[in-house]
Amino acid sequence: MNTSGRVVSNVPEICVAGDLEEARQAASLLQQDLRAKLHRYTDALDAHGERRPF
């Protein structure tokens, strides 16, 4: 499982444990990872002259 997958699975568990600050930090890491992946994806589309599907 990749890093973002581990973070996603941990966020609900961390919330249930009551550590909302830790959950917030984990969600922030997930958001950063997804933002980086989206940027790479759109760069690849642009490099190949493809339209963005969104």
Side-chain angles (χ1 to χ4, degrees):
M1 182 181 300
N2 61 27
T3 303
S4 61
R6 284 191 295 258
V7 172
V8 169
S9 66
N10 287 340
V11 171
E13 294 170 7
I14 296 168
C15 287
V16 168
D19 192 349
L20 299 182
E21 182 58 34
E22 180 68 23
R24 191 175 295 115
Q25 290 175 359
S28 178
L29 290 174
L30 174 62
Q31 182 182 21
Q32 290 172 13
D33 184 50
L34 291 174
R35 186 179 299 130
K37 287 178 182 178
L38 180 60
H39 186 71
R40 285 193 308 269
Y41 174 66
T42 56
D43 283 350
L45 289 173
D46 292 343
H48 294 282
E50 297 293 329
R51 290 183 40 198
R52 295 178 185 181
F54 46 89

